DNA sequence: CCTGTCACG
DNA sequence: GACGTACGTGACAGGG
């Protein structure tokens, strides 16, 4: 029978249940692995009681639990600040959200969430549909926003007070009937959801006004008739805001849903499924209750009495590293039967550690040699695929070794598992493996990465390479790569490794990875960095994978012409320099140069470093050149050209991928402790721009034919963050007014008007502004500005006098670091500062690093958030994201779509901090378009 | 493999 | 009173 008259639909507000469960219960964790499950437990309990309590004639025939989809809803498009002052969900609640969905399904109740919509809208749509079909509806929630739906057979049930609410109940609460609830809410606003409303008007006044004028539109059109001046002004001055508020509180009854009300029919729990879920969560009481109630067999649960009865605690899963490594126990997979058994096992467990072995380190070029997997500590395997004998046959190719499955067959067999959303893949630096697999048409997802886990947990404490992590956390030294492949000229590729050795090495890596995961994953909650890992690290990795695969086109001819040009100029300079020196020597050797300058020519200022060599850095050469010495000036010219040639125009050519004609850098997500990334092979984050000569190198980075490069960069983002975190009103105001921030600083400090300011004065203020971000010192500023140290210190003193908040911020940050041994960004990223308590010169370093890290790190977090949202934002546009340079993103775009892309990207970048963090300063992004990077920047 | 130098934000 | 200092990176050449 189709849904309609005589049916009774229950719509349960799931999110309300979760938060109530979370706050009502003490923090509870799953015994076996420490996963927080308190809210899941409370939620499950509520569902259990709900089901048990709903028997008899009034029982629902149809039911659904509705959840909020995480992230923004369409309301944020209407009003960006909507719900902006909501604090983020508690750290230990976040991992429980998906589990509450699992719980709902385990109870065999429909579980509904829709991206871009709030639970309230889904409830509204379903309740309208059911009402129109002639059925009864009960909304189980205590959220007053849902009261507008009441009437015509729709009621609410407040689960807290167990009280039914009908039209009379609504009138009691809002002073108007359900049809006018939206009008009252639009006027009164809501501080919890950040709905603005009309200032000075609350629910009581709003109801009074609506009752007098009939509805909101009439009220607004006749606002001038209101006698009380305050009310009248508030309504007239905020008409637009009130209308926006109405759009915000009005629920959407016309959503397109891809299921029918029929599908929500109540079927009653499937006992086996329910008990299995409860057992997995280790909810002993509920398992007992459910098994007894439904008469099914209880599954095995980890022994709970062990620690309670005083016996030795079980260490098996809590401390997996205590299980010794046995390299000979690893399995060599040589037939399909074994492979199928492994895949079955993986499906049963729901996760697997994976590692690839390849011909080299360039993931865009090298071929796969084998794959290793691990499902529990000590249980690992290796699937060799293309190991070769090294016995050149007549055709110059090596023959495949025995005991290997065909590569295509293995890939096709693994692909469904590697792509299965229900199987968690675990890797160490999985971006590399994902890139390898991508070349075989496998999109690995979802995945956890032990390197990223360690980074979220331990930034500042140590590096996150697998060997180091294994030593530190597993007390185990892995087989060194050198031992397997050798090094230097005689190094072999992995396909030449004898299979027996390869099994031990490769499977060991997967084993280590799995064990690290078992330690790190639960540690996220303990260290309060789950959100950092889940929102800033894990989702970024696939984005980087795609960017690296995109690559950027580089014009070899442009580079090679520049190289020749540089070579000629350098030869000329070299001759000139040796003429001046009166002898031949290697200009590129700082040691030889120092001897020429200070021993032979006896120039002043020779200082020897700890190695006994003269220092010949650019600052020293500059001093000498300033005194009129020709040779050091020419050496400076030579060095600039040498740098440009060797590092850029020569080296970049070798990175052009022969298959794609493009350069594919590799981003190291864990590259900088602050949260910044680094780029390598080649480093595309340090392509010259400051000097005229060097900037030309950017002309070699070009758009493909018919396309353009566009570059968007954050304008002074670190200074804006400083203004926000240090709460400097004058700086904030200057940014809001769009003033020249360095000129404003100069004006404050030196009491000079901004109009007609001496550029030198502005330059000094700019240097101070940057110095502040770096944890300023008189010496550093003096060196940068080339002024006496006393004078620099005077500037700093004056600066702190004018901006006392900055000094306060710096002192507070250092104090925080000393107390906690870490500092954190606005998004909760922790940067550990173990050196902060040190005595001696390191102390100064640590202090400045601690001051800088939250600022640099917050900026890094913001652009990460933008990058994570970018694939969705440009999904329907002909654009590809290619590069990130700390505060800049570079895209390649079809020529006619540049404006549309800029608009979309700008929007994402400028709002990237929201809704997690709302800055008191505007974030601004500048954009440029060109056929090459020099033009676009 | 380490150091000095220099390219970037 | 002396000492040594801007923050964060990666690549290259020279030299042991």
């Amino acid at each position: 029978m189709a849904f309609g008259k005589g049916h009774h639909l229950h719509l349960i507000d799931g999110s309300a249940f979760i938060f109530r469960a979370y706050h009502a219960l003490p923090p509870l964790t799953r015994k076996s692995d420490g996963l927080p499950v308190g809210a899941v437990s409370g939620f499950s309990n509520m569902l259990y009681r709900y089901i048990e309590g709903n028997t008899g004639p009034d029982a629902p025939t149809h039911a659904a639990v509705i959840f909020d989809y995480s992230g923004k809803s369409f309301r944020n498009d209407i009003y960006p600040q909507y719900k902006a002052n909501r604090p983020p969900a508690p750290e230990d609640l976040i991992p429980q959200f998906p589990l509450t969905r699992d719980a709902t399904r385990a109870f065999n109740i429909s579980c509904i969430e829709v991206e871009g919509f709030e639970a309230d809208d889904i409830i509204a749509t379903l309740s309208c549909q059911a009402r129109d079909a002639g059925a009864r509806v009960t909304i189980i929630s205590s959220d007053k926003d849902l009261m507008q739906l009441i009437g015509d057979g729709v009621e609410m049930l407040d689960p807290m007070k167990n009280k039914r609410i009908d039209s009379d109940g609504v009138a009691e609460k809002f002073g108007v009937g359900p049809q006018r609830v939206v009008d009252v809410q639009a006027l009164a606003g809501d501080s919890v959801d950040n709905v603005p409303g009309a200032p000075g008007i609350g629910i009581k006044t709003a109801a009074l006004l609506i009752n007098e004028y009939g509805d909101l539109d009439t009220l607004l059109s006749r606002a001038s008739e209101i006698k009380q001046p305050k009310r009248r002004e508030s309504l007239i001055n905020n008409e637009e805001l009130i209308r926006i508020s109405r759009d915000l509180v009005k629920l959407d009854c016309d959503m397109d849903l891809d299921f029918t009300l029929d599908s929500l029919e109540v079927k009653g729990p499937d006992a086996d499924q329910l008990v299995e879920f409860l057992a997995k969560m280790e909810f002993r009481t509920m398992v007992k209750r459910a098994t007894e109630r439904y008469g099914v067999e209880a599954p095995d649960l980890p022994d709970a009495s062990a620690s309670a009865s005083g016996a030795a605690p079980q260490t098996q899963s809590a401390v997996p590293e205590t299980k010794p490594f046995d390299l000979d126990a690893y399995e060599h997979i040589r037939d399909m039967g074994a492979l199928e058994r492994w895949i079955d096992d993986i499906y049963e467990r729901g996760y697997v550690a994976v590692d690839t072995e390849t011909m080299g380190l360039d993931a865009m070029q090298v071929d796969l040699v084998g794959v290793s997997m691990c499902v529990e500590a000590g249980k690992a395997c290796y699937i060799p695929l293309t190991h070769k004998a090294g016995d050149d046959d007549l055709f110059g190719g090596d023959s495949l070794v025995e005991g290997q499955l065909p590569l295509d067959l293995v890939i096709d067999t693994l692909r469904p598992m590697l792509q299965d959303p229900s199987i968690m893949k675990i890797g160490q630096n999985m971006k590399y493996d994902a890139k390898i697999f991508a070349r075989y048409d496998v999109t690995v997802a979802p995945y956890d990465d032990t390197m990223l886990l360690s980074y979220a947990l331990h930034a500042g404490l140590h590096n996150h390479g697998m060997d180091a992590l294994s030593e530190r956390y597993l007390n185990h030294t892995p087989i060194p790569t050198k031992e397997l492949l050798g090094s230097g000229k005689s190094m072999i590729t992995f396909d030449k490794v004898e299979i027996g050795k390869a099994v031990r090495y490769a499977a060991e890596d997967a084993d280590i990875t799995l064990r690290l995961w078992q330690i790190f994953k639960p540690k996220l909650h303990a260290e309060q960095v789950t959100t950092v890992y889940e929102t800033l690290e894990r989702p970024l990795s696939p984005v980087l994978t795609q960017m690296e695969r995109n690559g950027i086109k580089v014009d070899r001819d442009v580079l090679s012409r520049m190289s020749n040009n540089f070579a000629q100029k350098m030869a000329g300079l070299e001759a000139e320099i040796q003429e001046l020196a009166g002898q031949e020597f290697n200009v590129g050797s700082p040691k030889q140069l120092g001897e020429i300058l200070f021993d032979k020519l006896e120039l002043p200022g020779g200082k020897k470093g700890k190695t006994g060599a003269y220092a010949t850095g650019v600052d020293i050469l500059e001093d000498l050149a300033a005194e009129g010495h020709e040779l050091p000036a020419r050496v400076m010219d030579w060095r600039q050209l040498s740098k440009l040639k060797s590092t850029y125009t020569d080296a970049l050519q070798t990175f052009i991928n022969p298959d794609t004609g493009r350069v594919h850098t590799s981003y190291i997500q864990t590259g900088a402790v602050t949260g910044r990334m680094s780029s390598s092979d080649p480093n595309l984050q340090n392509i010259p721009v400051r000097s005229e000569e060097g900037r030309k190198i950017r002309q070699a980075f070009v758009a493909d034919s018919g396309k353009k490069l566009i570059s968007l960069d954050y304008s002074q983002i670190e200074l804006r963050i400083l203004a926000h975190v240090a709460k400097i009103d004058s700086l904030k105001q200057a940014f809001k007014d769009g003033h020249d921030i360095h000129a404003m600083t100069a004006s404050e400090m030196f009491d000079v008007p901004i109009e007609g300011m001496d550029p030198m004065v502005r330059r000094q203020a700019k240097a101070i502004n940057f110095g502040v971000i770096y944890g300023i010192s008189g010496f550093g500023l003096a060196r940068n500005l080339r002024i006496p140290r006393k004078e620099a210190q005077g500037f700093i003193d004056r600066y702190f006098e004018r901006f006392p908040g900055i000094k306060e911020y710096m002192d507070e940050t250092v104090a925080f670091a000393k107390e906690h041994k870490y500092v954190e960004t606005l998004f909760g990223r922790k940067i550990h500062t173990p050196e902060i308590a040190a005595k001696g010169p390191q102390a100064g370093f640590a202090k400045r690093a601690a001051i800088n890290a939250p600022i640099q790190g917050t900026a890094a977090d913001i652009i990460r958030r933008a990058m994570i949202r970018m694939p969705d934002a440009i999904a329907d546009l002909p654009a590809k994201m290619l590069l990130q340079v700390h505060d800049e993103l570079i895209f390649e775009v079809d020529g006619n779509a540049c404006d549309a892309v800029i608009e979309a990207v700008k929007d994402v970048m400028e709002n990237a901090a929201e809704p997690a963090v709302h800055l008191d300063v505007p974030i601004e992004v500048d954009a440029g378009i060109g056929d090459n990077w020099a033009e676009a920047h």
Side-chain angles (χ1 to χ4, degrees):
Chain A
M1 184 169 103
F3 184 87
K5 216 167 170 59
H7 284 144
H8 183 188
L9 172 66
H10 270 193
L11 297 172
I12 301 162
D13 182 356
S15 303
F17 267 54
I18 297 174
F19 280 93
R20 192 180 146 207
Y22 177 78
H23 288 112
L25 291 167
L28 175 73
T29 55
R30 182 159 70 183
K31 195 144 218 133
S32 62
D33 62 359
L35 180 77
V37 289
V40 185
S41 161
F43 183 87
S44 304
N45 243 315
M46 290 179 193
L47 282 185
Y48 191 91
R49 286 204 307 270
Y50 165 77
I51 286 181
E52 293 299 294
N54 269 299
T55 52
D58 203 34
T61 56
H62 296 69
V65 181
I66 295 102
F67 293 96
D68 286 310
Y69 192 89
S70 54
K72 288 191 174 181
S73 73
F74 69 90
R75 288 189 175 77
N76 292 103
D77 297 332
I78 303 175
Y79 188 64
Q81 292 92 18
Y82 179 66
K83 292 199 174 177
N85 53 13
R86 274 274 158 102
E91 194 71 37
D92 56 334
L93 179 55
I94 289 162
Q96 303 190 62
F97 286 126
L99 295 173
T100 55
R101 274 66 163 174
D102 294 345
T104 309
R105 285 184 282 264
F107 279 94
N108 208 15
I109 305 175
S110 299
C111 169
I112 299 169
E113 56 190 312
V114 179
E115 182 172 3
F117 289 88
E118 297 184 60
D120 288 359
D121 296 309
I122 306 172
I123 292 174
T125 300
L126 289 173
S127 96
C128 291
Q129 286 178 1
R131 183 196 61 202
D132 293 346
R136 264 188 73 197
V137 179
T138 303
I139 298 167
I140 298 168
S141 172
S142 41
D143 186 347
K144 62 180 175 4
D145 296 342
L146 290 165
M147 290 188 177
Q148 58 184 274
L149 302 171
I150 287 175
D152 266 350
V154 180
E155 286 185 346
M156 274 177 76
L157 176 67
D158 183 341
M160 319 274 266
K161 301 175 188 147
N162 199 19
K163 194 176 123 191
R164 286 201 159 265
I165 304 163
D166 53 14
S167 293
D168 293 344
V170 175
E172 206 174 293
K173 167 92 189 165
F174 281 102
V176 293
Q179 298 83 5
R180 298 274 78 88
V181 163
V182 170
D183 293 354
V184 168
Q185 284 185 291
L187 285 169
D190 184 339
S191 59
V192 179
D193 290 348
N194 212 23
V195 174
I201 294 183
I203 287 186
K204 291 281 187 256
T205 314
L208 205 75
L209 289 167
I210 292 297
N211 282 327
E212 191 176 337
Y213 289 85
D215 60 46
L216 186 63
D217 287 317
T218 315
L219 171 66
L220 288 174
S221 67
R222 293 171 53 194
S224 54
E225 299 171 21
I226 299 170
K227 300 206 176 54
Q228 296 86 345
K230 244 186 95 182
R231 292 180 193 173
R232 188 176 60 232
E233 295 305 309
S234 182
L235 257 60
I236 292 173
N237 294 336
N238 296 287
E239 188 179 340
E240 187 55 32
L241 221 46
I242 294 167
R243 291 190 195 278
I244 290 175
S245 299
R246 179 167 57 180
D247 292 341
L248 290 178
V249 296
K250 175 111 184 76
L251 296 180
D252 185 352
C253 281
D254 295 313
M255 285 176 61
D256 280 329
L257 297 174
D258 57 3
F259 57 89
T260 63
L261 287 165
D262 292 305
S263 65
L264 307 182
E265 193 183 337
V266 172
K267 301 189 192 77
D270 170 329
D272 290 327
Q273 192 186 327
L274 175 61
V275 169
E276 186 191 327
F277 172 79
L278 297 173
K280 196 172 112 197
M281 290 292 107
E282 299 169 22
F283 298 152
R284 285 162 227 288
T285 316
M286 265 186 281
V287 168
K288 186 153 173 279
R289 204 160 53 186
T291 48
E292 284 166 9
R293 167 74 173 73
Y294 297 108
V296 292
E297 205 154 302
D300 282 343
L301 271 175
D303 188 4
S305 59
S307 52
S309 65
Q314 301 235 327
T315 54
Q316 166 67 20
S317 61
V319 192
E321 72 271 26
T322 56
K323 176 160 186 159
F325 279 81
D326 179 2
L327 274 48
D328 296 317
Y330 298 141
E331 183 178 348
H332 164 194
I333 294 195
R334 52 172 77 236
D335 62 77
M336 286 308 286
L339 183 57
E340 301 284 1
R341 279 194 295 280
W342 266 84
I343 290 179
D344 288 346
D345 194 12
I346 290 164
Y347 267 91
E348 229 156 79
R349 297 170 192 260
Y351 56 84
V352 58
V354 181
D355 188 28
T356 56
E357 302 303 337
T358 57
M359 295 286 287
L361 292 172
D362 179 359
M364 286 299 295
Q365 284 206 56
V366 298
D367 292 325
L368 190 60
V369 177
V371 177
S372 60
M373 304 193 289
C374 175
V375 288
E376 70 176 56
K379 186 165 163 48
C381 68
Y382 179 61
I383 317 164
L385 298 169
T386 59
H387 284 257
K388 305 191 190 71
D391 58 348
D392 284 296
D393 64 16
L394 287 175
F395 307 100
D398 299 333
S399 58
L400 284 177
V401 177
E402 289 284 295
Q404 303 189 90
L405 286 164
L407 180 125
D408 288 351
L409 179 62
V410 170
I411 291 285
D412 287 341
T413 310
L414 289 177
R415 184 181 292 108
M417 183 276 286
L418 291 172
Q419 302 192 152
D420 193 314
S422 75
I423 304 296
M424 177 58 78
K425 274 68 67 175
I426 302 152
Q428 163 75 14
N429 189 19
M430 194 67 132
K431 180 159 65 67
Y432 178 85
D433 305 272
K435 280 202 289 184
I436 296 288
F437 276 123
R439 296 198 11 256
Y440 297 86
D441 292 315
V442 179
T443 310
V444 181
Y447 63 79
D448 261 334
D449 190 325
T450 47
M451 189 171 84
L452 302 183
L453 285 164
S454 178
Y455 184 57
L457 289 164
H458 313 129
L461 292 179
H462 52 72
N463 292 330
H464 317 287
M466 195 183 71
D467 292 2
L469 293 178
S470 179
E471 300 267 8
R472 182 180 285 263
Y473 294 96
L474 304 176
N475 199 21
H476 170 74
T477 309
I479 303 173
T481 315
K482 245 172 50 184
E483 205 174 294
L484 214 68
L485 305 179
S487 64
K489 214 169 156 246
S490 60
M491 197 161 129
I492 58 170
T493 46
F494 202 89
D495 61 325
K496 300 285 163 43
V497 174
E498 188 254 308
I499 288 187
K501 284 188 191 162
V503 169
R504 295 163 58 89
Y505 174 89
E508 180 189 43
D509 278 3
D511 192 3
I512 291 169
T513 303
L514 185 93
R515 295 182 199 223
L516 289 173
W517 181 73
Q518 288 173 332
I519 295 172
F520 292 161
K521 198 76 195 278
K523 208 172 152 190
L524 287 177
H525 310 299
E527 302 289 331
Q528 305 260 295
V529 287
T530 307
T531 306
V532 170
Y533 176 73
E534 292 291 346
T535 66
L536 295 174
E537 304 301 343
R538 199 153 78 98
L540 182 62
S541 180
V543 176
L544 295 178
T545 304
Q546 188 55 52
M547 287 170 72
E548 293 173 13
R549 284 167 49 76
N550 290 342
I552 184 165
K553 188 171 173 187
V554 171
D555 189 330
R556 185 190 296 275
D557 294 340
V558 171
L559 291 178
S560 108
R561 272 199 298 276
M562 291 180 80
S563 277
N564 291 336
N565 184 313
F566 290 150
Q568 272 181 22
K569 285 188 182 162
M570 282 168 70
L573 284 168
E574 212 166 314
E576 213 178 315
I577 288 163
Q578 295 180 346
E579 173 79 32
L580 288 163
Q583 71 170 86
E584 290 197 355
F585 73 102
N586 185 348
V587 182
S589 163
K591 184 165 172 270
Q592 293 180 32
L593 175 66
E595 281 157 12
I596 295 282
L597 288 173
F598 302 113
D599 290 340
K600 178 147 191 224
L601 303 178
E602 297 185 316
L603 299 181
K607 270 187 304 198
K608 291 193 175 179
K610 47 191 159 193
T611 54
Y614 288 113
T616 64
V618 71
D619 43 344
I620 294 191
L621 299 187
E622 251 171 16
D623 287 348
L624 293 172
E627 286 170 41
H629 297 291
E630 184 75 6
L631 192 149
R634 294 289 79 81
V635 171
M636 283 162 60
D637 296 340
W638 183 91
R639 275 195 183 159
Q640 194 198 4
L641 295 175
S642 161
K643 179 77 175 182
L644 294 177
K645 182 170 186 294
S646 66
T647 310
Y648 301 105
T649 56
D650 286 350
L652 271 175
Q653 297 184 54
T654 69
F655 283 102
I656 298 175
N657 183 303
D659 300 325
T660 64
R662 299 167 76 96
V663 169
H664 305 264
T665 183
S666 181
Y667 288 102
I668 304 164
Q669 208 176 321
T670 59
V673 290
T674 54
R676 272 197 184 175
M677 295 185 288
S678 66
S679 154
S680 72
D681 307 291
N683 180 356
L684 295 188
Q685 291 182 322
N686 72 344
I687 303 301
V689 68
R690 292 172 187 168
S691 75
E692 189 60 44
E693 193 99 23
R695 188 154 56 232
K696 290 183 182 151
I697 291 169
R698 295 188 173 218
Q699 293 169 354
F701 291 80
V702 295
D704 214 341
S705 58
K707 302 188 178 185
K708 294 275 183 190
L709 290 184
I710 66 175
S711 156
L712 297 100
D713 67 294
Y714 284 109
S715 162
Q716 292 165 336
I717 189 160
E718 293 190 357
L719 271 179
R720 289 171 196 262
I721 290 166
L722 174 71
H724 174 88
V725 295
K727 305 187 180 74
I728 313 299
D729 288 332
S730 55
L731 282 180
K732 287 193 218 169
Q733 196 57 45
F735 279 123
K736 281 178 192 159
D737 297 341
H739 288 158
D740 176 337
I741 202 69
H742 302 309
M744 194 223 88
T745 307
S747 166
E748 278 283 324
M749 280 187 58
F750 306 118
D751 292 321
V752 293
I754 292 179
E755 290 291 319
M757 177 177 289
D758 179 355
M760 277 303 292
V761 174
R762 184 180 176 279
R763 209 191 110 229
Q764 291 186 324
K766 183 175 173 181
I768 295 167
N769 276 332
F770 278 104
V772 166
I773 293 171
Y774 298 150
I776 200 158
S777 75
F779 182 91
L781 184 65
R783 200 176 62 170
N784 192 310
L785 284 176
R786 295 168 210 292
I787 56 175
R789 191 180 150 175
K790 264 235 165 73
E791 205 176 317
Q793 191 57 52
F795 285 177
I796 294 170
D797 294 344
R798 192 159 178 78
Y799 185 93
F800 285 148
E801 223 170 85
R802 290 299 167 106
F803 302 102
I806 302 241
K807 180 90 177 87
E808 266 172 54
Y809 164 76
M810 293 169 82
D811 292 344
E812 280 165 17
T813 305
V814 171
F816 185 96
K818 283 191 170 143
E819 185 186 343
H820 297 99
K821 296 285 183 289
Y822 69 82
V823 292
E824 59 186 349
T825 67
L826 287 182
F827 297 89
R829 173 187 302 284
K830 290 184 180 177
I831 297 114
H832 295 270
T833 56
E835 297 272 76
I836 195 80
K839 293 269 178 270
Q842 314 97 291
F845 269 117
K847 245 166 120 170
R848 289 190 297 272
I851 291 166
N852 172 260
I855 301 169
Q856 188 182 111
T858 298
D861 290 346
I862 289 175
I863 196 166
R864 276 178 180 231
R865 291 169 63 91
M867 292 170 73
I868 289 164
R869 292 174 187 176
M870 209 56 78
D872 277 347
I874 61 172
D876 299 326
L877 294 167
K880 281 181 174 168
M881 181 156 59
L882 308 187
L883 300 179
Q884 189 249 40
V885 190
H886 308 309
D887 65 356
E888 175 188 15
L889 293 173
I890 290 135
F891 297 78
E892 189 175 43
V893 185
D894 277 8
N896 54 12
C898 291
D899 292 341
V901 172
I902 287 176
E903 192 188 345
V905 171
K906 224 180 189 179
D907 184 59
V908 171
M909 288 176 75
E910 292 185 339
N911 295 300
E914 308 276 355
V917 169
H918 180 69
L919 296 175
D920 307 333
V921 233
I923 296 293
E924 286 181 17
V925 169
D926 300 323
I929 308 176
D931 292 317
N932 61 60
W933 194 1
E935 287 175 16
H937 184 78

